[in-house]
Amino acid sequence: MSNTEAHAEADDNLARNEILTDNEIIRTVIAEEKDDDNDDVTPVNPVKISHSEAVAALSTSLQWAEEQNFEAHENMLLRHLRDRAFELKIGTTAQKNH
């Protein structure tokens, strides 16, 4: 393909394509993203986390927070959550035994 032919083809392509302002480009991209978001919607079935797993994870988190010298109120929150998960675990176990 010669330079003249290449330029003619490029001119044809430009003539067929719409010239958009910056704002029009932004609106087009946002509209396409919204369309993409709607197309990819799939229901999420969250994995059920057991009380035992929660206790273990919160215990690990508390240990990490203490090693990182978190503030006392932050450690207390993690300790409270861990204790609450443990209470739920004990309550569930007691219900199963009755």
Side-chain angles (χ1 to χ4, degrees), residues 41-82:
V41 174
T42 53
V44 176
N45 297 326
V47 174
K48 190 79 170 165
I49 299 171
S50 72
H51 299 312
S52 296
E53 290 172 317
V55 170
L58 289 164
S59 294
T60 301
S61 298
L62 177 59
Q63 181 181 355
W64 173 80
E66 289 172 342
E67 290 172 0
Q68 301 304 313
N69 297 317
F70 275 38
E71 293 185 22
H73 71 276
E74 294 170 318
N75 291 340
M76 288 172 55
L77 174 61
L78 286 170
R79 192 171 288 115
H80 174 75
L81 291 172
R82 181 204 56 198

Side-chain angles (χ1 to χ4, degrees), residues 83-96:
D83 293 348
R84 182 72 178 109
F86 184 74
E87 289 170 5
L88 291 170
K89 175 185 170 187
I90 296 301
T92 302
T93 304
Q95 287 176 359
K96 288 180 182 176

Side-chain angles (χ1 to χ4, degrees), residues 6-54:
H7 286 287
E9 186 176 328
D11 288 340
D12 288 344
N13 286 337
L14 282 174
R16 280 180 283 187
N17 292 327
E18 182 180 358
I19 305 297
L20 300 175
T21 65
D22 290 346
N23 288 334
E24 291 170 328
I25 293 169
I26 291 169
R27 279 193 298 271
T28 302
V29 169
I30 290 171
E32 288 175 358
E33 285 177 352
K34 286 181 182 177
D35 288 344
D36 289 346
D37 290 345
N38 293 335
D39 293 343
D40 295 337
V41 174
T42 53
V44 176
N45 297 326
V47 174
K48 190 79 170 165
I49 299 171
S50 72
H51 299 312
S52 296
E53 290 172 317

